[in-house]
Structure formats: C-alpha cells, structure tokens
Amino acid sequence: EVQLLESGGGLVQPGGSLRLSCAASGFTFSRYAMGWVRQTPGEGLEWVSGISGGGDSTYYADSVKGRFTISRDNPKNTLYLEMNSLRAEDTAVYYCAKDLLYTPSITFDHWGQGTLVTVSS
Amino acid sequence: QSALTQPRSVSGSPGQSVTISCTGTSSDVGGYVYVSWYQQHPGKAPILIIYEVNKRPSGVPDRFSGSKSGNTASLTVSGLQAEDEADYYCSSYAGGNNLGVFGTGTKVTVL
C-alpha cells in the first residue's frame, strides 16, 4: 500500500524558513516523479513544484521560484521542500504527491494527508 | 500560468448526469494528453479519478468519464449518487519550467 506522510509544517514569521519532509513507502520511490501541491484554506489547489525520479530535473511555479527548493533522497525514500523568504500568501496545506511517471506529468495517483504551513507574525 | 477555468458549482438529482468543463489554452489542456481530474471531499486529500484525458484508475466507478475537445476538457458523472457530492479539480501538464496548472474547482451538489 502506497503511503505518503508529510511533516515539518507549522507557524513561521514572514521572511522565515521551513523545511517540509515526505516519507514514502509501498512503492519503488526512485522510479517515480514526485510533487508538492498546496491548498489555501477554503480555496483551490495550486501546483508548487515537481522533481523527476532520479532527482536531476526540478520544476517550480512562478510564485515560489527562487524561494523554494525541492529535493529527494532516494535511499531514504524521502521528498523535501525547503521554503525560504516565506510570505503570508504561502499559508496553505501542503500536500506531497506521487506522480504516475518517472518524468513529471502532473498526474498524481497518491497524495499525503497534508501539512499546514502558517506564515504570520 | 493562469488557473484553468471551471464553473464554480453544478448540481443534479440522484441518478442524473452532470458535466464539468475545464477550459485552458493550447499551451496546457489543448497541447497535451496529461489532463487529469480529482475528487476532494471536505477535509480530505484529493483522489485521482481520471488521468490522460479519459482513463480511470483501478477502483474508480465507470460512472466517471472524461473527454477533451480543443482547449476544453470535460468530466461527466453519470448516475449521480449522494457520495459524489464533493469538489472536483482538473489539472494539466503545461510544459516549460512552470510545469503544472490546476483548475479553479467545481462544487458538485446532489440535490
């Protein structure tokens, strides 16, 4: 059974940093691209970032480019999202999601339960 | 990358069919086969119900079907059931570095 478990969310001040982790199990982690998707409370979904199975290709939404960094540790079956220079508009539930393919296709067949990031002073 | 356009809400009685549209551009929906649909119940993570325009993952009822014409994709829910009441989102691959885009979301109400 595929399981994705996010951690690392919490309250942070504007301009601060946070690192999210996503522990994966139940599938061969290195064979699939992974992504982060966020959802502002009561609002819609927003694709944030994606990474290929091998970790050599990364992609970002314009809204986070230059501030967020996606990475993965395949031997540890873990996905990360390093978030810097956080803004109030980054407040959201962040989901880790498994892609259907090795190269990101924005087709997410499994999702974690989400972790809430709140940016506020 | 602008969000794909979906109707804010649709409704139908049990047993009826409803169709949700998802309008993008030739740079996303119209340009790629990687168009997906997700169902999200309140407080829960999204669930993939349609991928690559019209394919259903294992376990998804065949009441759910997808199609695409030009820059607009559509999700049809036939034989509407009470448990189909949820939010539905489309998504599309968009190429380049800004790789993905989601729709604005549609709330389906079962009357």
Side-chain angles (χ1 to χ4, degrees):
Chain A
E1 178 192 5
V2 172
Q3 290 193 350
L4 301 170
L5 186 61
E6 302 99 336
S7 61
L11 175 63
V12 60
Q13 292 188 340
S17 299
L18 214 54
R19 188 176 84 155
L20 305 183
S21 299
C22 173
S25 61
F27 64 104
T28 305
F29 186 65
S30 61
R31 289 186 180 176
Y32 297 94
M34 297 292 293
W36 290 97
V37 177
R38 68 185 181 185
Q39 185 169 33
T40 305
E43 299 296 327
L45 301 170
E46 180 187 11
W47 175 80
V48 172
S49 182
I51 187 168
S52 61
D56 51 322
S57 298
T58 58
Y59 307 86
Y60 301 93
D62 288 342
S63 58
V64 307
K65 199 173 302 182
R67 300 187 298 122
F68 289 12
T69 302
I70 190 172
S71 63
R72 63 192 297 162
D73 186 333
N74 283 346
K76 291 185 177 179
N77 290 345
T78 304
L79 175 73
Y80 302 100
L81 185 68
E82 186 77 38
M83 304 185 294
N84 298 315
S85 303
L86 282 162
R87 307 166 180 167
E89 53 264 36
D90 295 319
T91 294
V93 173
Y94 284 74
Y95 292 103
C96 159
K98 171 188 168 294
D99 203 293
L100 213 52
L101 304 178
Y102 178 86
T103 301
S105 67
I106 318 303
T107 307
F108 300 117
D109 61 346
H110 290 88
W111 297 62
Q113 84 290 349
T115 187
L116 177 62
V117 172
T118 303
V119 183
S120 175
S121 55
Chain B
Q1 192 74 32
S2 298
L4 307 175
T5 301
Q6 298 181 230
R8 184 172 294 272
S9 65
V10 299
S11 61
S13 300
Q16 289 186 332
S17 295
V18 294
T19 297
I20 303 168
S21 61
C22 169
T23 301
T25 69
S26 58
S27 297
D28 39 61
V29 174
Y32 302 97
V33 68
Y34 298 121
V35 176
S36 305
W37 289 91
Y38 300 87
Q39 178 191 65
Q40 186 181 34
H41 287 104
K44 301 292 188 181
I47 296 171
L48 180 68
I49 56 173
I50 295 289
Y51 69 100
E52 292 178 12
V53 176
N54 56 15
K55 298 179 181 179
R56 276 179 290 105
S58 171
V60 174
D62 60 6
R63 302 184 292 103
F64 295 92
S65 62
S67 63
K68 187 179 80 167
S69 177
N71 299 336
T72 298
S74 298
L75 171 72
T76 297
V77 186
S78 306
L80 206 57
Q81 298 184 4
E83 59 262 37
D84 299 332
E85 185 162 294
D87 293 325
Y88 291 81
Y89 295 91
C90 62
S91 73
S92 175
Y93 180 86
N97 188 60
N98 205 359
L99 212 56
V101 59
F102 278 90
T104 51
T106 299
K107 181 174 179 59
V108 170
T109 301
V110 181
L111 301 172

